[in-house]
Amino acid sequence: MNNPPDISQDPAEHEEYAHNVQKHVRGYLTVGALLLAFTGITVALSYVDFGTRKANIGVAMLVATLKAGMVAAIFMHLAAEKRLIYRVLIFTGFFVLALFWLTYLAWYNPVVR
Amino acid sequence: MEIPYTISTRPDTGLWNAKIGIWLFLASEVMLFGGLFSAYVFLRLDAQPGEWPHGLLNVPVGTMNTAILIMSSVTVVLAWAALKMRRYRAYWWYMLATIMCGVIFLFVKLYYEWPQKFEHYGIFIKPGALEKYEQYLGNNRRTEKGMEPRIEISGHLHNPEALKDPNIKEYEIGLDPVFVDPNNPSNDRPHFLYAPPTDHIAKIEKEDVDRIDSFGPWHSAYFASYFTITGLHGAHVLAGVLVFIYMWLPVSKRLYQRNPEHLANRVEVCGLFWHFVDLVWIFVFPLFYLL
Amino acid sequence: MDASASLPATAGHHDPHAHAGEHEHHELGWWRKYIFSTDHKVIGIQYGLCGLVFLFFGFSLMMIMRWQLAYPGQALPVIGKWLPYFFGPNTMPDGKMTPEFYNSLGAMHGTIMIFLGVVPVAFAAFGNFVVPLQIGAPDMTFPKVNAASFWAFGVGGVIMLTSFFVPGGAAKGGWTSYVPLSDIADKGPGFHPFLNGQTLWLLGFIFLITSSLLGAVNFITTIIQLRAKGLTWMRLPFFVWSQFVTAFLLLLAFPPLEAAIVMQLMDRTAATSFFLPAGMIVNGAPLHISGGGSPILWQHLFWFLGHPEVYVLILPAFGIVAEILANNSRKPLWGYKSLVFSVLVIGFLSFVVWAHHMWLTGMGSTVSAFFQTTTLLISIPSVIILSAFFISLWGGSIRFTVPMLWATAFLPMFGIGGLTGIPLAFNSADLYLHDTYYIIAHFHYIVAPGTIFGLFAGIYYWYPKATGRVMNEFWGKVHFWPSLICMNVIFLPMFLQGMLGMHRRWYDGGQGWTLSGEHIWGLTGFQWNTPISWAAWIMGLAQIPFIINFFWSIKHGKKVNDNPWEATTLEWTAPSPPPHGNFVTIPIAYRGPYEYSLPGREKDFTMQNEPVEPAERSRRAVEPVLVH
């Protein structure tokens, strides 16, 4: 799904362009419905016993990541965004994961507990 | 003096200035909420058994709020699409819907969810006195089953004057349903539907009490994190709502008439912020309400 | 239009008719032009002046501290009598410093120098003024956000200063504000629940962080989007690269600290226990808190910013020094590609080394091995950059202008600072050296005769662009030599004091430590405090010629043309001072940034916007060794 192209003020271009955006609108509504459905799924799954609490957390985070991915890719147009934005976000993602992982590692690996 | 690429795109990057600006800002917001979430992880890992509560938040209300925020994300992107299609009327209605969803979200939080917490009390029983209140805690069965012990009795405090008056020697607490029937297996896991404190009153003696606190940020690391993250998130929702109101007022119509693409870009930038706010909530909801 | 005494004329009155592009010709009122301006040059100067004032204030705090260290328990002569009128009667009764006041001075010296002094001058002031000019842009991409960023800084600075005057005085828990002390400090009888030093410190910080985040967004977007035609990434002056990476460090590293500050504010005002473990006893009574918090969590989140922050402090200075070295050796910078690559690697690695500030927190061997490795790795690009600078001088036609004095002094000073950091990368060595004067010496060598020398170099260098006049050369040298000598007298002995185990942040000057009675070079560890303090006071005096020179030269300095240093980068094609919109004609870059001493040319420098002649093109084919 492409980002609506950069357009000038020329009204003639708008006709064709407006038609393009219509297709996107359907996509937005679909994703919206999916997000609502997945919310319900998240809640339902939280009452299912997956064994350990950790497993439940894992499942919930997986569903949340899926929902977040849809919001980012479709609503925030990331799926069709320029390389530069990707690069910024990939570095950000790396650093936030480093923050999570390294603080966890420090907690997990003390001299004595 | 004109700054280039405010509306048109720079050829080699394919982007206009504010688009980069907002994504950079959102990157910093990822780090901000990342810092808060890493605190959540750290504190939860460090919690002693029984100290990290579950099932104290209203799940149906939280689910509804989640749905409201998701719908507002849909309406804001439809508002932007309407602007791109030069349909101002449709834009105006979608924007209004977005604002209303944001306001409802904040209303539910500030006038229902949060205040309810300040009236709900938890009494932490001293380790030596846990036996005495076994009828409410059901720890014998829990230890047998390998479950975390309950160290806190919660409910509605019927004699709040006991908090200040040293002459009153006990707390009268209208128990939450789980403490009325602690050995019932259905009470092992939180229920979906919220059940308010019962009229079954238990008397807890002050000398057996480690501490008594309402479910405010001071109650536990859990509630500290809950109020801080939802508070900061709520502040972002409020900021978004205020900006959207500005974009919906007649001043936006004037910008639309002068340069519709400029308004569309502004709405897109604010929409990106709004989607991010929704995104944070997508993680906050399960981490606090469900897990 | 007359320029006010403290701000050189920048906007609007030079070449009002020769503007590229459309321009609304309305005259802005005095407030909009000089105070609430959105012009990057005015904002840069505002940051610069405020930052310099804060630098001097923070330096003065230290000069007061040094009295206590050299002459512990003795009344401070003359000034000691009226300081209490300024800071409060409990700070220096009878002119003798209380331990609490010493701690306030220490904490605020650090905070003010870093966040109100160096970062605003190095990043915001120089970046704002120079970067758009060097890339050929008319302004920053978001001028109003730029103004908002400055005013957020202003508010944060005012809040920090106000904290000195509330009951109990300013924050005392170190610039690192470690918990649980900072959670419980400045509370109780005699303290206001909100208007106390520590809470105001936290609040002020939120504004400073906001300011930095807004600035970072502006810088990055501007450098990406507003580079002039022909100015590719690898033709950017190294100064722009260093500001670019610095902006990313601020953007991504500050927010976790902001989160931690919000949490500490909650601990202090909403009775939460983010950082307070259970069972805490304060003044003999147990704290009524929920417990369950973690003091280490604060350290992680603080140092997650804290380490990239030190690179924020040094990278702009690297950039300034690079420009001045090339200009004053009349040859291109050596190893431009290596420099760019190194600064990018530094930026990246700086996010994953932070726990080397936490060696004493009881880390296990796995996590500490990880951080030791990354810390050692990050020293490599730093060495590459310093080496490239040294090699850049080789074979150059060096002229010691005042900026060049500061820039060349930077090199060995930063070298000492950086190399003395290597032992600290090993947690085994740091177990001994942590929190001693060795650490103070190490980081001050980098920031004080390091970055601050870089900043002075930059001020003397770009002063003619901002004002159209040069600062007086003689007084510039009078400023330089005592500063250089004093810096070394102050900080060199501190390494040895630290190795004797003398602790930092101790009010008694280290007397309580037996080893400080050992002799080095004829004096005991404690006795070294005296020459160090005198050197600090003399250095304070040496700044006076600078302050006078700075303001006097605005109106009375020797007038110069638009490019007095005969430099090659784009800012020197603009008029001095540049008008609103910066350039008479929008520049186009045809070549790299350091085309000095091109063979076969009359002048020993060729500006970036000079077109490449066909004849030159074929000559360049023969000699491809020139600039990239």
Side-chain angles (χ1 to χ4, degrees), chain C residues 346-393:
Chain C
I346 286 180
F348 180 81
L349 281 178
S350 71
F351 281 97
V352 289
V353 297
W354 79 84
H356 66 229
H357 298 273
M358 297 166 61
W359 292 139
L360 269 68
T361 57
M363 275 188 270
S365 48
T366 316
V367 64
S368 99
F370 175 87
F371 281 109
Q372 286 181 80
T373 312
T374 50
T375 306
L376 285 166
L377 282 176
I378 205 175
S379 67
I380 298 175
S382 311
V383 172
I384 292 177
I385 292 181
L386 194 66
S387 308
F389 286 166
F390 271 113
I391 300 174
S392 296
L393 295 173

Side-chain angles (χ1 to χ4, degrees), chain C residues 490-513:
Chain C
I490 297 171
F491 295 115
L492 207 51
M494 281 192 192
F495 284 119
L496 301 168
Q497 286 181 318
M499 287 195 261
L500 284 177
M502 200 158 122
H503 242 257
R504 64 188 288 203
R505 294 181 171 138
W506 278 8
Y507 154 80
D508 67 352
Q511 283 176 293
W513 199 251

Side-chain angles (χ1 to χ4, degrees), chain B residues 3-48:
Chain B
I3 311 261
Y5 312 124
T6 43
I7 302 169
S8 60
T9 59
R10 182 180 157 110
D12 62 349
T13 59
L15 293 159
W16 35 281
N17 298 341
K19 186 68 107 60
I20 301 182
I22 192 67
W23 273 113
L24 290 172
F25 177 67
L26 291 181
S28 81
E29 294 272 85
V30 166
M31 300 305 294
L32 177 69
F33 282 99
L36 288 170
F37 281 123
S38 80
Y40 170 95
V41 169
F42 213 82
L43 293 171
R44 186 159 172 173
L45 286 172
D46 251 359
Q48 298 302 315

Side-chain angles (χ1 to χ4, degrees), chain B:
Chain B
M1 172 203 73
E2 279 257 330
I3 311 261
Y5 312 124
T6 43
I7 302 169
S8 60
T9 59
R10 182 180 157 110
D12 62 349
T13 59
L15 293 159
W16 35 281
N17 298 341
K19 186 68 107 60
I20 301 182
I22 192 67
W23 273 113
L24 290 172
F25 177 67
L26 291 181
S28 81
E29 294 272 85
V30 166
M31 300 305 294
L32 177 69
F33 282 99
L36 288 170
F37 281 123
S38 80
Y40 170 95
V41 169
F42 213 82
L43 293 171
R44 186 159 172 173
L45 286 172
D46 251 359
Q48 298 302 315
E51 268 183 14
W52 194 270
H54 305 278
L56 295 182
L57 296 177
N58 192 324
V59 175
V61 169
T63 313
M64 179 194 77
N65 249 2
T66 311
I68 288 172
L69 217 54
I70 289 173
M71 287 196 300
S72 74
S73 269
V74 176
T75 53
V76 79
V77 75
L78 291 176
W80 169 78
L83 267 188
K84 286 293 238 192
M85 292 192 280
R86 303 293 184 254
R87 297 215 216 121
Y88 189 80
R89 225 46 231 163
Y91 157 74
W92 192 89
W93 280 109
Y94 281 127
M95 193 50 99
L96 182 62
T98 313
I99 294 168
M100 302 282 19
C101 285
V103 169
I104 293 172
F105 179 90
L106 286 173
F107 222 80
V108 169
K109 187 137 244 89
L110 288 173
Y111 284 98
Y112 178 72
E113 284 195 281
W114 277 17
Q116 216 195 35
K117 295 277 151 298
F118 296 118
E119 282 150 36
H120 205 149
Y121 277 83
I123 302 178
F124 288 87
I125 308 292
K126 284 189 182 145
L130 285 170
E131 266 297 305
K132 197 165 154 192
Y133 298 94
E134 176 56 27
Q135 54 169 171
Y136 306 120
L137 296 170
N139 280 333
N140 290 337
R141 175 181 160 271
R142 287 180 73 87
T143 329
E144 250 179 60
K145 301 243 171 225
M147 291 188 276
E148 272 182 20
R150 292 191 180 115
I151 60 171
E152 183 188 8
I153 296 177
S154 63
H156 180 70
L157 189 62
H158 281 251
N159 63 340
E161 59 278 7
L163 291 168
K164 295 262 163 61
D165 191 346
N167 293 323
I168 304 177
K169 296 292 181 204
E170 56 188 20
Y171 296 111
E172 289 166 27
I173 191 146
L175 294 170
D176 280 331
V178 64
F179 300 105
V180 178
D181 191 7
N183 291 309
N184 191 330
S186 74
N187 281 329
D188 284 346
R189 301 210 70 242
H191 294 270
F192 173 70
L193 288 172
Y194 173 68
T198 61
D199 284 325
H200 187 129
I201 301 200
K203 290 194 175 29
I204 319 277
E205 289 177 50
K206 275 191 185 176
E207 59 182 21
D208 297 325
V209 171
D210 201 1
R211 65 186 171 95
I212 175 170
D213 274 318
S214 56
F215 286 171
W218 40 80
H219 174 271
S220 50
Y222 168 79
F223 274 115
S225 316
Y226 169 75
F227 279 101
T228 307
I229 291 188
T230 57
L232 201 62
H233 177 264
H236 282 76
V237 172
L238 180 64
V241 164
L242 291 173
V243 172
F244 283 146
I245 289 177
Y246 178 76
M247 304 236 153
W248 169 81
L249 290 172
V251 57
S252 75
K253 182 102 195 236
R254 270 178 254 136
L255 178 59
Y256 178 77
Q257 281 152 350
R258 219 178 30 222
N259 190 341
E261 197 59 17
H262 198 175
L263 181 65
N265 284 355
R266 282 190 172 177
V267 169
E268 184 178 0
V269 160
C270 299
L272 283 171
F273 175 78
W274 191 255
H275 292 303
F276 176 76
V277 168
D278 185 23
L279 224 151
V280 169
W281 185 258
I282 285 175
F283 285 98
V284 169
F285 174 62
L287 284 174
F288 283 97
Y289 285 77
L290 302 177
L291 298 167

Side-chain angles (χ1 to χ4, degrees), chain A residues 84 88 91-92 94-95 98-99 101-103 105-107 109-112, chain C residues 224 248 252 256 300 304 348 351-352 354 362-367 370-371:
Chain A
L84 174 71
V88 170
F91 278 112
T92 310
F94 178 81
F95 294 137
L99 173 62
W101 182 65
L102 289 168
T103 38
L105 182 64
W107 176 88
N109 177 234
V111 169
V112 284
Chain C
I224 293 175
F248 264 110
L252 297 177
H300 278 297
F304 186 83
F348 180 81
F351 281 97
V352 289
W354 79 84
M363 275 188 270
S365 48
T366 316
V367 64
F370 175 87
F371 281 109

Side-chain angles (χ1 to χ4, degrees), chain C residues 189-204:
Chain C
F191 292 101
H192 190 275
F194 291 106
L195 300 178
N196 55 68
Q198 182 63 26
T199 304
L200 287 177
W201 185 92
L202 294 167
L203 204 58

